[in-house]
Amino acid sequence: MDKVIEIKNISYKYGAAEGVDVEALRGVSLDVFKGEFLVIAGHNGSGKSTLAKHMNGLLLPTSGEVRVNGIPTTNDARIFEIRSAVGMVFQNPDNQTVATFVEDDIAFGPENLGVPREEIERRIDEALAAVGMSGHRKSTPQKMSGGQKQRIAIAGVLAMKPRVLVLDESTSMLDPRGRKEVVETARKLNKEGITVVLITHNTEEAFFADRIVIMNEGHITAVGTPKEIFTDAETLNKNRLVLPPLLEIQRLLVIAGYCTGEPVFTEAELSERLINLL
Amino acid sequence: MNNISFGQYYPSNSFIHRLDPRVKLICAVIYVAAIFFVDSYFVYAAVLLFGITVIALSRVPIGTVLKTVKSVLFLILLTFALNLFLVSGDKVLWSWKFIKITATGLDYAVRMAFRLFLLITGTSLLTLTTTPMELTDGLESLMTPLKAVRFPVRDIALIMSIALRFIPTLMEETTKIMNAQKARGASFDTGNLLKRVKALLPVLIPLFVSAFRRAEELALAMDSRCYDATPNRTRRRQFKINMVDIAVLLIFAAFITLIILDKYLWGGAMDGIIYGLIFKK
């Protein structure tokens, strides 16, 4: 498979100037493959967000190397190529909109890249349609729900036509409904061909990932499919992650000897299984 | 677009609203300068009439326009009083002990107060009929020639529009912090002025801290969206001067000419002529 992002043995230290010297990343290697839905999970302070910020050159590794489409992120001359290829959406939706009106905000990226005007108008419409917000072109994010604001932020990134969409804890400030909106938007975009990297501490969002990477104390501690990760409660525990209730029930059922086999990831499937048990 | 109302903008679809913001900005600047050249009462009346016509055309209720004067009413009255009592002249109209009002003083006072009044109403008409966004876009466009001397026009315009964008966000935040402090027993509306100012400190500090955090995150988001990628940034909004804009500029130029002519050529003679006309009958 094609690698979109190659991360080779990177370390990142910050605070050297203040003399505190914190090592946020210690020898992390990871490839992001074209078209995959990758979830990077970890508790607060595990380094997952620092890793995300290396993916478009917002941070540069203290040692090691990150390449996007083969271009190292240290290449200053081509950094904007990297940033338009790897779009990033952040945690707080209020702090990433630059303009008062939706259309002006979405246009920000393509304007910066010097995209012709007619093309920008087309991209605004396409991006809004892709996140299911077509009717909101002339409205203002100020009055929207958190989930809607984040979808506008995603649209703002999509307008740059990225190959990878990185959601850097973009769901952590949202209510359950908003989280669902954002994750579902990401899944839909992934099906349409965009590579998605979702950073989260909420393991529920990893159910539908192709691959889950677990981080702890600046290391990658586990990599696997949802089935592998979610049947390994011990690893999750060691990394201070919580097994979502849906899977906790299944784990207890397995321990109690009521069922075996593959875990299921939807409530419907679980209830079907439970009914069969009765 | 009507659901956000910051600034003074009064939404309507009049032709004044639809004018090119640059035309309105230029007119406003010239107007402010020209007001200080107004000499005779005749021209004052003409400016007033002109103002009333523009207000009528803009479909902004006259009450809304007058409301903008309210905030500076004190300043106008003070100027009036100072001129009235302090300007000396030959013809004393009224006197009491050491206070006296002269004809010259009264003349000065009326002119100055009227001048301020026209200044405020005229300029507020700009902000009443133009959205803050249009104003920033207009300013950016007008400042474009400064790019030649490496003045960061684009950055300045972006700073202005981001400031506007964050006004409601920070206002919301202020309310939140104030409520949080109230819940802890803070009181913002009791005590003397000094006490009230002191009570605001626990609001301002968290507000500043959060504003800086927001700024940092915004900077990351802007970098991620390729800010400053190319000097040839696309400008989405392009202004086109149309015939109406040109007509407005011409009418305005004619009006300014009248003011200048009155001051330098006729020397305020219009008043005399009108005076004569009235009293001869």
Side-chain angles (χ1 to χ4, degrees), chain B residues 29-69:
Chain B
V29 171
I30 296 176
Y31 174 81
V32 168
I35 283 291
F36 289 95
F37 289 93
V38 175
D39 203 32
S40 66
Y41 282 104
F42 167 73
V43 175
Y44 270 117
V47 174
L48 186 66
L49 193 71
F50 185 80
I52 292 172
T53 315
V54 176
I55 292 170
L57 285 172
S58 73
R59 294 201 215 125
V60 177
I62 197 109
T64 313
V65 182
L66 289 179
K67 236 185 246 167
T68 59
V69 184

Side-chain angles (χ1 to χ4, degrees), chain A residues 124-144:
Chain A
I124 295 172
D125 285 330
E126 282 171 10
L128 280 172
V131 298
M133 298 279 291
S134 283
H136 294 79
R137 200 182 153 126
K138 303 247 179 231
S139 47
T140 165
Q142 197 65 33
K143 306 269 171 188
M144 293 180 181

Side-chain angles (χ1 to χ4, degrees), chain B residues 112-154:
Chain B
M112 275 312 286
F114 207 57
R115 196 172 275 177
L116 276 176
F117 172 78
L118 289 173
L119 206 65
I120 303 299
T121 46
T123 45
S124 60
L125 210 54
L126 171 72
T127 46
L128 281 165
T129 62
T130 322
T131 63
M133 290 297 249
E134 284 175 319
L135 278 180
T136 35
D137 283 342
L139 271 175
E140 181 180 6
S141 172
L142 284 176
M143 291 192 301
T144 308
L146 291 176
K147 270 183 188 163
V149 290
R150 295 212 174 172
F151 186 78
V153 174
R154 214 178 45 182

Side-chain angles (χ1 to χ4, degrees), chain A residues 1 13 32 50 92 120 144 189 206 218 234 236 238 262:
Chain A
M1 264 207 283
K13 278 186 200 170
V32 179
T50 310
N92 190 336
I120 291 182
M144 293 180 181
L189 294 171
E234 203 185 321
L236 280 174
K238 259 195 279 181
E262 304 256 285

Side-chain angles (χ1 to χ4, degrees), chain B residues 84 87-94 100-107:
Chain B
L84 188 62
V87 175
S88 53
D90 305 328
K91 216 165 128 196
V92 178
L93 294 177
W94 180 81
K100 61 179 178 199
I101 295 173
T102 65
T104 331
L106 182 67
D107 183 45

